[in-house]
Structures are given as structure tokens and as C-alpha cells.
Amino acid sequence: MAERPHTPLLDTVHAPADLKRLSDAQLKQLAAELRAETISAVSETGGHLGAGLGVIEITVALHSVFDAPKDKIIWDVSHQSYPHKILTGRRDRIRTLRQKDGLSGFTKRSESPYDPFGAAHSSTSISAALGFAVARDLGGACPEGLGDAVAVIGDGAMSAGMAFEAMNNAGHLKKRLIVILNDNDMSIAPPVGAFSSYLTRLYAEPPFQELKAAAKGAVSLMPPFFQEGAKRARDMLKGMTVGGTLFEELGFSYLGPIDGHDLDQLLPVLRTVKARATGPILIHALTRKGKGYAPAERADDKGHATAKFDVVTGAQKKAPSNAPSYTSVFGETLVELAAKDDKICAVTAAMPDGTGLNLMAERYPSRCFDVSIAEQHGVTFCAGLAAGGMKPFCAIYSTFLQRGYDQVVHDVAIQNLPVRFAIDRAGLVGADGATHAGSFDITYLATLPNMVVMAAADEAELRHMVATAAAHDSGPIAFRYPRGEGVGVELPEVPEVLEIGKGRIIREGARVAILSFGTRLAQVTKACEALEAMGIFPTVADARFAKPLDREMILDLVARHEALITIEEGAVGGFGSHVAQLLADEGVFDTGLKFRSMVLPDAFLDQGAPDEMYARAGLSAEHIEAKVLDMLGVARISGKRAGHVS
């Protein structure tokens, strides 16, 4: 373990109130120590590094000027909140970040009163802050009191429609509300779109000249990089026939841009705003993601999400992989297919690397689109592409596709347009916890008319499903796959186009049949090996499709077995529920079939290693083995019963 940094001033800070006694010079020292402590902690735990380093000075300034937890500081996405956690009484647990029973990697209301609003998806902070501001003015109450509401939102998150919806409403209501636009010109991938271009040109005009003066001549004190941006923005406004900015048109007083790493600018501005603001105000702070740690600053993603790493070199300590990741298998297969079919195109929402579309973007940039953090737009954009005769692949994580669900229903499914949904991060994802788990996509997609829903049991099956989706032109189709590495099966040189709605028998047995949907198949196989040692030989089938179901295969299984178990990496209401509906409609239960469905528990599971989380969910090989024995009335030799989350 690397030597811990020397932090004499930070050692005296146990709560934000301790910052009130520090001079401005001491606050600068505190910021340096906080940066060192954040780097040290994340080197041991892994996690989101660059975002937190980019807001060190903003974090110190906010907790120095405002009075949390009465004043509500709301971090958008909140992957940048590690420094905030260190200053708010959680430093002693900071090295448990993102681990089982440890601190969440995001803000979490149940974790601390200094986390007034939980987050992990982007662009929610302004809406929540406005809610707090209106609750304050209407006489609402909470244990810590209601004071100022401050939203800290990045330029990438600001590009999403929800942020503008909130600003439009806030400008109309004219409530005292403070928004800090943390403009680092870098979300996860480089930002795209007209709004990003607008920010690079922006510069403030009156009526807040006195606030700019309080910032000690912000522009002249800026580094040359920031000065040039301000000059471009001034030149732009000189050429405009109508003054004002986009933010002012929305009803916000605009101040900036200021250097978000210069406490000599941040502190006077925040103090003046706290003393004088009457309505909604936006402070535009320019920052650098990964600031102060050279390996993060050099990285393409500015240290967005890292494994454990060596503090001196920045080298990440990733375990060697024995199999390709599902994400890379998808990306490489899509590029192969796109080489043969110029109608194939791809869309992602600010996650080109995370979805594997960086490969497509490099090879076929004219057919690959990053729509920024705008899942709703991305889905409907794909619908338009499909209606125009293209073959769009909409690559969005399961948990983020939730944000575009109305568009999936209204714009894709109702019109029966052939949009191909590539759903990464299906099932439990580990350290990111409940906010990023792909728990619900089987349920929310398989309930839709016209939708085909597939799940890959392994990386070879994923190649087949990408090819199947590319060939499917009669309506929408989705295929889901988890985060991480595959199981190590041999990949087919040429992927096969699967027959829609047809599963496969993996092994024949007797008495009990296990019908698996997705990558739990590996755990089913492991359970069967243990059962065979007891003389029990289950039949195992891979459903492949949750919709349409392989009716013929399922009815044959129940005709030849006394018991049927379905298993999936999804919530209740998904694959197992559709199978149960089929069996009920066919009157199978009238003849005494034993049926069980193994799904994720009706609970949000906190972070941990994926295997730990699946064990808590009751979906490990041990749980499958126990389920088979219970259904057959066979006592386990050890007498143990596998536990699960209730």
C-alpha cells in the first residue's frame, strides 16, 4: 500500500463547519491536501477520479461559504462527490468507496445528511435544487432545515433536455437558486453538440459587473487558455444585435466565466452571491477534469473511471482477462457487419467507449453518432433513421435506456420500426450499485407489442445476436448482455442469424428442467455438476428469447418433466412472468406442474463485487442447486439452505 499523504490541515477538518475558521490562504492549503487525499483513496479503491479532482476548489469554496447541511449542495451525477464526502465526516470510511457495506460512489440520502439528494444519472440536480428552493419558500421542513439550494452540474450534463426544462421552470418561478456550471469541456467522452460550442464562446455582460469586480478581475487573472475563451466570447457578443445570453433568456442571472481552480476568484464570487442573490443565478466556472494529477490529465477520459492504481505512475492494477469483454465482442461484431452493409449505423448517448462504439466511430465515422447525454433524443433519432431506410443500432446501457422509455414505446414500438437496441450493463454491475444495475429492461421491453427481446448466454451467443438484430427488418429488436468479461467460449468466425423465438437445449436430463435466459447459464451449469454428483440430472435449456417465447420448446419441457425453473438476471415481471403466463394460458398448471421463477429480489441492492451481489440476490449456483433440491423434495446433505435478500 502506498504511503498516505501528509495532510495536517485536513486532519483538523471533521465537518464543513471547521472550514469557517480557516483563512483564505489556509483554504488553498486545504484544497491541496484534499486533492492528495482523494488521489490516495481512489488509488486503493478504484472509482471515478478525474471528476472529483476537477471540483476540489469548488468543493472547498462551497463548504466554506455555505452552511451545509441546512444549505443543500446537490452534485449532478455525483461521481465527483468523493472530496465532498471527505469534508463531511466520512473521511474515515473513504477507503471503503464502492465496496460491499462501504460508502457509495455517489451521493446517497441514507448515507449522510450532507447528501440531500441521491444521484448517479445526469442532469437531475437543477430540478431537485428547485424543489428544495420552493419547499423552503412554502414552509417545508426537514431535520437539517432548509436554506440555500446549490446545484453543481457539468457542461456534459447541462446538454440534456431535463436541465433546460428545470432552468426554464426556475426562471419562471424566480426563486433564489444557485447553479454552478462546472465547465470542464469533458463529460466522459468529449462533449458534442451546439451547446458545447456555445459554452466555448460565452462571456458575461451586465447586470452583474459588481460581482465580476468582486472576482478580482477574473479574466485578467485567468490562465492563457481561459483568457482566450473569454476573448472569443466577447467578440461573439459584439456581433450580436440583441444582447444577453441563453441563460439570461431563461431567467437566470449569469456570472462568468471564472477560473474554477482559483479560490481567489471562487470565494469572493460565492460570498457575494450568498449575500446578494435574490433570484436564480448561474455561475459559470471553467475547470479541468483530472486537475492536479498528471496521469489523469493525460488520459483520454481524464481518469473518468479507474481501477486501483499506483499513485506515482498512474498505472492501473487490472487483473488480466482470460476472455474478451462482452462490450468489445459487440463493438467488433458490429464493425464486421457494417463493413458488409452500408445501411448499418450506430447511435450512443455520451458513451462511445463504454458501449464499444469507439470502434465503429474510428472505422465508419459518418455512420456513428454520439448524441450527448440525450437518451430520449437518441432513441427517436434511431426511429427516424429506421424510417429512412437505415439499420440503426441504439447502444445505451440498460439503466440509461430507462430515460428514453416513452420514446421506445411511442416512437419505436407503436410504429414497429426496426431499431436495434444493444443493451449493455444488463443485470447487476458491481461497484456502481443500484443506480447503474440493469434490473428492469427485460420487464419494460418484453411487455411491448412488436418487440423482440434476446439475451446472450455467452460471448459467442452475443455475436449471433448482433447478426440476428442486423438481419431483422420487420420491427424493433433488443439484445442484452452484462458488463465485464465473457466466459471464455470459442468465438464463431462467422456469426449465425438465429431463428426468431427459438431456444436451444443445452443438456438432456429428467424430472426437472432449468430454463435459463442470459448469462446465468454458466451458474446453472455449475449447479448441475453438483447435482449430478447426487444422482440428479436436470435438463438445461437456453431460452435465448424472452419475446417471442419458444412456445414449442417450453411446452415440450413441461410435458417431459415434473418441475420447471426459470432463471434470469432481471426483476420480477420479466422472462419468468411471460413463461408463467404461457403455461397458465395453456392450462399446464391444472395438471400439477411444479414451477419456480428465480429473479432479482424486490429490492435495490447496494454495491459490491458482482458475484457477491448475485449471491445476495439468490442467483448463484448454490441457490440454483438448492431450488432444484427443494422442488424435488430432496434434503441437502449439509443441511444448509442458501440465503438471499428478502
Side-chain angles (χ1 to χ4, degrees):
M1 185 173 67
E3 185 177 345
R4 299 281 174 86
H6 183 55
T7 55
L9 196 54
L10 182 60
D11 293 343
T12 69
V13 174
H14 305 289
D18 294 330
L19 275 66
K20 307 291 185 186
R21 58 178 170 75
L22 301 180
S23 67
D24 288 4
Q26 288 175 311
L27 290 174
K28 293 178 184 178
Q29 179 185 338
L30 179 69
E33 293 180 10
L34 181 59
R35 179 168 277 109
E37 176 71 358
T38 300
I39 294 168
S40 174
V42 180
S43 76
E44 295 181 22
T45 65
H48 296 95
L49 178 64
L53 298 184
V55 296
I56 293 288
E57 288 77 15
I58 289 174
T59 304
V60 169
L62 283 172
H63 280 301
S64 171
V65 172
F66 290 92
D67 300 310
K70 180 181 179 181
D71 291 336
K72 310 303 178 188
I73 300 173
I74 301 170
W75 301 93
D76 204 278
V77 184
S78 77
H79 59 327
Q80 76 279 56
S81 66
Y82 304 173
H84 158 81
K85 294 193 178 202
I86 292 170
L87 294 181
T88 53
R90 288 170 276 181
R91 185 185 181 190
D92 61 338
R93 300 184 63 209
I94 199 65
R95 284 169 171 78
T96 69
L97 269 169
R98 295 159 49 88
Q99 299 168 29
K100 184 176 183 290
D101 300 324
L103 293 179
S104 170
F106 306 96
T107 53
K108 190 173 184 180
R109 279 172 54 83
S110 61
E111 187 177 289
S112 170
Y114 292 99
D115 292 357
F117 201 79
H121 293 188
S122 82
S123 316
T124 63
S125 61
I126 304 174
S127 299
L130 180 60
F132 277 113
V134 172
R136 172 196 65 211
D137 294 348
L138 289 176
C142 63
E144 298 80 27
L146 286 168
D148 275 318
V150 183
V152 185
I153 183 169
D155 55 304
M158 186 67 93
S159 69
M162 185 175 177
F164 284 94
E165 293 169 13
M167 292 190 71
N168 183 57
N169 190 209
H172 171 70
L173 293 176
K174 297 181 172 58
K175 299 293 184 182
R176 174 179 162 115
L177 170 71
I178 301 160
V179 175
I180 297 177
L181 172 56
N182 172 34
D183 183 0
N184 55 36
D185 197 35
M186 180 81 191
S187 46
I188 296 171
V192 295
F195 180 72
S196 175
S197 299
Y198 170 77
L199 288 180
T200 66
R201 301 190 304 266
L202 198 54
Y203 183 75
E205 292 272 325
F208 272 81
Q209 293 288 358
E210 64 271 25
L211 289 179
K212 292 173 206 169
K216 298 186 178 181
V219 175
S220 62
L221 289 175
M222 286 182 183
F225 170 80
F226 291 155
Q227 288 188 39
E228 178 59 28
K231 180 179 181 298
R232 289 198 306 270
R234 274 201 307 271
D235 293 343
M236 177 198 74
L237 277 181
K238 285 177 183 176
M240 292 174 63
T241 53
V242 179
T245 70
L246 169 63
F247 303 114
E248 287 167 345
E249 291 300 318
L250 287 170
F252 276 69
S253 296
Y254 170 85
L255 170 63
I258 64 173
D259 183 348
H261 297 300
D262 186 351
L263 285 168
D264 286 335
Q265 294 180 43
L266 284 169
L267 290 168
V269 168
L270 289 177
R271 287 165 182 159
T272 306
V273 166
K274 181 171 175 59
R276 299 190 53 194
T278 56
I281 183 168
L282 184 137
I283 301 169
H284 185 179
L286 301 176
T287 63
R288 287 186 182 275
K289 201 170 187 179
K291 172 72 173 178
Y293 185 55
E297 291 190 24
R298 288 194 300 264
D300 290 342
D301 66 353
K302 300 296 184 282
H304 170 69
T306 72
K308 299 176 183 180
F309 61 90
D310 181 273
V311 172
V312 176
T313 66
Q316 296 188 39
K317 303 171 183 176
K318 293 184 177 180
S321 172
N322 295 318
S325 71
Y326 284 98
T327 300
S328 66
V329 170
F330 161 67
E332 291 166 5
T333 305
L334 186 65
V335 167
E336 289 176 28
L337 297 170
K340 301 172 184 176
D341 188 342
D342 63 6
K343 295 296 187 292
I344 289 177
C345 56
V347 173
T348 187
M351 299 294 290
D353 291 352
T355 58
L357 289 190
N358 55 319
L359 303 175
M360 181 80 174
E362 291 167 6
R363 188 75 62 86
Y364 303 109
S366 66
R367 289 190 271 152
C368 191
F369 307 93
D370 182 349
V371 299
S372 190
I373 304 175
E375 292 85 1
Q376 292 174 295
H377 160 63
V379 171
T380 304
F381 177 39
C382 284
L385 285 166
M390 297 298 290
K391 297 181 177 180
F393 279 76
C394 185
I396 298 177
Y397 292 0
S398 171
T399 184
F400 297 151
L401 187 59
Q402 294 162 184
R403 309 185 79 170
Y405 186 60
D406 180 63
Q407 288 68 33
V408 175
V409 177
H410 181 269
D411 300 332
V412 177
I414 288 177
Q415 301 188 94
N416 200 31
L417 289 169
V419 174
R420 291 92 174 152
F421 292 97
I423 303 174
D424 204 326
R425 271 57 169 183
L428 302 178
V429 294
D432 283 334
T435 56
H436 283 59
S439 305
F440 309 114
D441 59 271
I442 306 171
T443 302
Y444 70 64
L445 291 176
T447 193
L448 298 177
N450 301 324
M451 184 70 71
V452 173
V453 181
M454 303 181 285
D458 54 45
E459 57 269 44
E461 283 290 293
L462 178 56
R463 271 181 64 78
H464 297 324
M465 289 180 182
V466 178
T468 303
H472 187 72
D473 285 319
S474 58
I477 188 168
F479 53 96
R480 73 190 311 257
Y481 48 96
R483 179 180 188 176
E485 286 75 38
V487 297
V489 299
E490 184 176 351
L491 293 176
E493 185 174 344
V494 178
E496 173 189 349
V497 175
L498 304 176
E499 183 179 352
I500 298 298
K502 290 297 180 182
R504 57 178 180 148
I505 300 295
I506 303 299
R507 64 170 75 189
E508 287 284 5
R511 296 192 66 191
V512 61
I514 303 174
L515 182 57
S516 178
F517 182 64
T519 57
R520 284 295 92 188
L521 183 62
Q523 292 295 304
V524 170
T525 301
K526 184 177 178 182
C528 286
E529 291 169 355
L531 289 165
E532 288 174 1
M534 304 179 208
I536 299 169
F537 298 88
T539 294
V540 176
D542 174 15
R544 282 179 165 164
F545 294 84
K547 189 169 191 180
L549 291 172
D550 188 340
R551 181 178 178 278
E552 181 180 350
M553 182 181 77
I554 294 170
L555 293 179
D556 176 64
L557 288 174
V558 299
R560 297 189 291 112
H561 298 81
E562 64 186 81
L564 176 68
I565 299 170
T566 65
I567 183 167
E568 64 196 286
E569 296 154 326
V572 65
F575 171 67
S577 295
H578 283 259
V579 173
Q581 183 71 44
L582 169 65
L583 298 179
D585 289 344
E586 294 294 327
V588 173
F589 294 126
D590 301 346
T591 61
L593 174 76
K594 296 178 182 177
F595 176 78
R596 299 290 186 273
S597 185
M598 299 183 72
V599 298
L600 293 177
D602 188 25
F604 291 107
L605 300 182
D606 287 336
Q607 72 276 1
D611 287 346
E612 292 175 344
M613 295 183 74
Y614 278 114
R616 286 159 55 201
L619 293 178
S620 67
E622 183 182 34
H623 295 90
I624 299 166
E625 177 191 344
K627 185 72 70 176
V628 170
L629 294 175
D630 286 344
M631 290 186 75
L632 297 180
V634 179
R636 300 185 73 190
I637 295 173
S638 66
K640 291 193 305 180
R641 285 290 182 265
H644 60 85
V645 175
S646 60

